[in-house]
Structure formats: structure tokens, C-alpha cells
């Protein structure tokens, strides 16, 4: 029997010797950069002020000369899903930013833009309309607010749009980088994760390794592409194109420490104002990827935006697995050796 079971510390993320999991105070220095390396940079995306203009998507395509494609990655196809204002569909080899549009039919006061239903009263449904019956509404309900949970205290029926500009998370523990056999994926001096297109051999190992489903292969030669956090611009002292284009500062770029402090303040301010559901995603360095270089302020559960609720770096268990394999191999060798010695006697 090996000393490692699936319930042991090695497989639960509690192993202090596992360098593929857990917080890393200096992710750049950990990769061998000299002590005077630049501060780690990243994105704080405050989705509460995103207006869905997609300027970030366009700026990314333009700066990086990404081809037009549809949601399946077919180049030069007219990329319309036909089901939503979200015509990009998802992140992909040719879409390194993706603005998710989530329509929620519920009462909301702040902070997202809202619209009322069309009606005679300048777009507002009059209060005297026949009440809409919803499951769970008591039969004794008489007022508009009681009979229709979608009505606000002002009598409006409203929906809200959640918009979020998604991107590579530039993880502290980046499984895409861990499994790359060619060194095409590497950690930059800014602490970001970049893929070098001239070194990628198209093996695709990194694609299932990413816990967020970010990195993607092009259909023609299989090479992978994703956000570089504009490495070329950073080395010239410029901020990323998407952050420069965002008109509402939903995408904020800067030193990760400063962004984290700003995000904490923003979250506290929203919670003080009673904004339900506000939370930070990817901010916690004790999460499954050791915290993200690109993290978010969300207004609902991560799943609502198509984000995994509890991502874990997919290489977390590799050390324990190799130790199990080694222990098993040593046991087999021991059995064979003892059988051999026994036969000679
Ligand atoms: S989000 Fe995926 S592609 Fe981006 S650094 Fe993390 S593992 Fe790699
Ligand atoms: S940082 Fe650069 S590469 Fe990444 S999404 Fe923004 S514009 Fe695109
Ligand atoms: S993140 Fe900024 S640029 Fe992108 S859609 Fe939202 S508001 Fe527009």
C-alpha cells in the first residue's frame, strides 16, 4: 500500500511542499527573474460599470490583428449568434476578450442600466394592468409589488443586463504553462502568462489544462492563442489596448497590489449601498489557482457569467500522482526482486 491516498494532504491541496498550488507571494521571482523585476501587473474588471459597448473586444482585435470569425472559430464568417447581443459567444483563438451579456428578469434599482416594458405611459407599464401571476405569489396579494416580483417600488417592471468583459486570468498557478512541452507558454517579467506563436507546435495540451476554458487552438494549424495582456505594449510602457479603450473604466490595469486594494474598497462601497450579490472573483490568493492576475467584481454568482465557481489548477495533483506512481513502481521492483532471490535459494 502506498503512503498517499486520495484523502491525504497531497490530494487535498494542503501539501505545503506542492509548488503547483497555493499562494505565491512573488510569482515572477518564483520563475527565476532577478529581484529587481517589475511589479506584477493585472486587470481589475469592475462589471458593475460595464455598459457592453464592446470597445475592449474591438481594440483587442485591432491591436493584435485578430481575424473576424464566428463563435466556432471559422475565420471570415459573419459572427452573429442570432440569439443575443453577445455575438462573440465565448473566448477563443481569435477572440481574446469576450463581453458576456446576461439578461435577468428581476427587480433591480442599481447599479445596472434598466428598461421598462413598452406601454402607454412613455414606456412604463401602467399600474392598473392585469397582474401577472407568478409561482409563489400569495392569493391575498393585491398591490403591484405583491403580485409581480418584477415590479420595483416605483411600479416599473424591469429587467437588468449583466455585462462582463472576460479575458485570460493570468493565473498565479497557470496549468497551461505547466503542461506546455515546448516552452511556448511562459511567465513574463510582469507576472503575466504569454504564448509565443512561433514556438507553439499545436499539441494542444494546454487547452484542457486551463480550468477556465480560455486558451484555444486555431482551426488551420492547431496553434493556440489567448490574451497576452498586451506584452508588446507593456514592454513599451503602454497600457493594454482594451483598458485604454474602455470608456467607463470597467477594465482597470495596473500593479496587482494596488488593483486588489481598489477592488476591496469598491466592493465595500457597493455593499454599503446595499447592492445585492456583489463579490470579487479571482481576488483570493488562497483559491484553487492561487489568485488571478485578472480578477473581477461580479454582481451575481460566477456561473451566471459562465465562469467556473471554484476553479482549481489542473496540475495540482501531479506531484502526488508521480509520488504514487513511484511508490507503486518501487513495490513492483521489490516484489520481482524478492521472487528472484527466493527462487535462487
Ligand atoms: S486562465 Fe487558462 S490560459 Fe489563462 S493563465 Fe490561467 S490556465 Fe492559462
Ligand atoms: S490585454 Fe491586450 S491581448 Fe489581452 S485582451 Fe486586452 S487588448 Fe487583448
Ligand atoms: S469592459 Fe468597457 S469597453 Fe468593454 S464592453 Fe464593458 S464598458 Fe465597453
Amino acid at each position: 500500500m502506498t503512503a498517499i491516498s486520495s484523502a491525504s494532504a497531497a490530494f487535498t491541496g494542503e501539501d505545503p511542499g506542492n509548488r503547483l498550488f497555493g499562494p505565491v507571494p512573488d510569482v515572477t521571482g518564483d520563475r527565476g527573474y532577478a529581484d529587481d523585476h517589475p511589479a506584477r501587473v493585472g486587470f481589475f474588471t469592475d462589471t458593475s460599470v460595464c455598459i457592453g459597448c464592446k470597445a475592449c473586444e474591438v481594440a483587442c482585435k485591432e491591436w493584435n490583428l485578430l481575424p473576424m470569425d464566428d463563435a466556432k472559430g471559422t475565420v471570415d464568417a459573419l459572427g452573429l449568434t442570432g440569439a443575443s447581443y453577445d455575438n462573440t459567444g465565448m473566448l477563443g483563438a481569435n477572440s481574446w476578450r469576450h463581453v458576456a451579456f446576461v439578461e435577468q428578469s428581476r427587480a433591480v434599482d442599481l447599479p445596472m442600466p434598466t428598461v421598462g416594458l413598452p406601454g402607454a405611459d412613455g414606456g412604463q407599464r401602467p399600474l392598473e394592468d392585469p397582474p401577472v401571476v407568478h409561482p409563489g405569489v400569495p392569493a391575498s396579494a393585491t398591490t403591484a409589488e405583491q403580485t409581480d416580483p418584477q415590479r420595483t417600488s416605483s411600479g416599473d417592471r424591469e429587467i437588468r443586463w449583466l455585462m462582463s468583459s472576460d479575458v485570460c486570468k493570468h493565473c498565479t498557478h497557470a496549468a497551461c504553462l505547466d503542461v506546455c512541452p515546448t516552452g511556448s507558454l511562459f511567465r513574463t517579467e510582469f507576472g503575466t502568462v504569454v504564448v509565443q506563436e512561433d514556438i507553439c507546435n499545436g499539441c494542444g495540451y494546454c487547452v484542457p489544462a486551463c480550468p477556465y476554458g480560455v486558451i484555444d487552438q486555431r482551426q488551420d494549424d492547431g496553434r493556440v492563442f489567448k490574451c497576452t495582456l498586451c506584452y508588446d505594449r507593456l514592454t513599451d510602457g503602454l497600457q493594454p489596448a482594451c483598458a485604454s479603450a474602455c470608456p467607463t473604466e470597467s477594465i482597470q490595469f495596473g500593479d496587482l497590489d494596488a488593483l486588489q486594494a481598489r477592488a476591496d474598497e469598491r466592493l465595500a462601497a457597493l455593499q454599503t449601498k446595499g447592492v445585492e450579490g456583489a463579490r470579487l472573483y479571482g481576488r483570493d490568493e488562497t483559491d484553487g489557482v492561487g489568485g488571478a492576475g485578472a480578477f473581477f467584481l461580479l454582481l451575481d454568482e460566477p456561473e451566471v457569467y459562465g465562469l467556473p465557481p471554484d476553479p482549481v489548477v489542473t496540475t495540482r495533483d501531479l506531484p502526488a500522482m508521480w509520488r504514487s506512481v513511484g511508490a507503486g513502481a518501487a513495490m513492483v521492483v521489490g516484489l520481482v526482486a524478492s521472487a528472484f532471490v527466493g527462487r535462487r535459494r
Side-chain angles (χ1 to χ4, degrees), residues 3 5 19 45 60 105 149 157 211-212 219 222 237 246 263 286-288 295 324:
S5 76
R19 295 183 63 228
T45 302
C60 181
S105 197
R157 290 191 61 200
Y212 300 94
Q219 290 186 342
C246 178
T286 63
D287 69 12
F295 64 100
S324 296

Side-chain angles (χ1 to χ4, degrees), residues 167-171 173-177 185 193 209-215 226:
V167 72
C168 167
K169 314 301 178 291
H170 296 273
C171 309
H173 292 289
C176 59
L177 186 157
L185 277 147
V193 179
C210 172
Y212 300 94
V214 166
I215 198 163
K226 71 170 191 70

Side-chain angles (χ1 to χ4, degrees), residues 38-82:
R40 185 181 182 188
V41 299
F43 284 131
F44 164 43
T45 302
D46 181 351
T47 69
S48 70
V49 294
C50 177
I51 55 173
C53 66
K54 301 193 190 183
C56 49
E57 279 194 27
V58 175
C60 181
K61 287 244 180 198
E62 192 172 71
W63 179 259
N64 294 293
L65 301 177
L66 301 180
M68 183 177 79
D69 63 1
D70 65 10
K72 296 192 180 83
T74 309
V75 175
D76 288 337
L78 186 59
L80 298 176
T81 62

Side-chain angles (χ1 to χ4, degrees), residues 31-289:
R31 283 284 162 167
Y33 287 93
D35 289 344
D36 60 350
H37 62 73
R40 185 181 182 188
V41 299
F43 284 131
F44 164 43
T45 302
D46 181 351
T47 69
S48 70
V49 294
C50 177
I51 55 173
C53 66
K54 301 193 190 183
C56 49
E57 279 194 27
V58 175
C60 181
K61 287 244 180 198
E62 192 172 71
W63 179 259
N64 294 293
L65 301 177
L66 301 180
M68 183 177 79
D69 63 1
D70 65 10
K72 296 192 180 83
T74 309
V75 175
D76 288 337
L78 186 59
L80 298 176
T81 62
S84 164
Y85 292 116
D86 174 2
N87 288 317
T88 311
M90 63 180 75
L91 291 172
N94 301 318
S95 299
W96 301 352
R97 273 256 172 217
H98 164 235
V99 182
F101 281 67
V102 182
E103 181 178 349
Q104 288 185 324
S105 197
R106 51 182 285 184
V108 61
D109 292 325
L110 279 174
M112 299 302 299
T114 55
V115 295
L117 286 180
D121 187 16
Q124 309 295 328
R125 176 185 285 263
L127 275 173
E128 59 271 20
D129 270 4
V132 181
V133 178
H134 288 269
V137 173
S140 59
T142 51
T143 68
E145 287 174 74
Q146 288 172 329
T147 53
D148 185 352
Q150 294 181 21
R151 286 188 196 244
T152 64
S153 53
S154 64
D156 298 339
R157 290 191 61 200
E158 301 192 32
I159 62 169
R160 77 169 176 176
W161 288 91
L162 299 177
M163 292 132 185
S164 173
S165 184
D166 195 14
V167 72
C168 167
K169 314 301 178 291
H170 296 273
C171 309
T172 298
H173 292 289
C176 59
L177 186 157
D178 292 340
V179 302
C180 178
T182 65
S184 170
L185 277 147
F186 75 106
R187 180 81 60 183
T188 75
E189 65 270 36
F190 302 104
T192 56
V193 179
V194 170
V195 57
Q196 303 166 89
E197 59 187 82
D198 54 340
I199 298 179
C200 175
N201 67 1
C203 70
Y205 291 174
C206 53
V207 175
C210 172
Y212 300 94
V214 166
I215 198 163
D216 186 33
Q217 291 176 286
R218 280 207 179 136
Q219 290 186 342
D220 48 4
D221 60 8
R223 287 181 304 156
V224 300
F225 292 86
K226 71 170 191 70
C227 161
T228 66
L229 220 145
C230 281
Y231 186 43
D232 50 351
R233 290 173 66 96
L234 296 192
T235 52
D236 280 342
L238 299 171
Q239 71 167 343
C242 53
S244 297
C246 178
T248 64
E249 298 188 352
S250 173
I251 301 173
Q252 299 178 33
F253 165 79
D255 290 355
L256 196 56
D257 287 347
L259 291 177
Q260 289 171 340
R262 197 183 303 168
D264 292 342
E265 284 175 21
R266 174 69 176 156
L267 178 64
L270 288 178
Q271 289 176 335
T272 302
K273 290 178 181 171
V275 177
E276 288 177 26
R279 72 203 66 205
L280 296 178
Y281 178 80
R283 160 74 175 87
D284 182 5
E285 64 177 12
T286 63
D287 69 12
V289 300

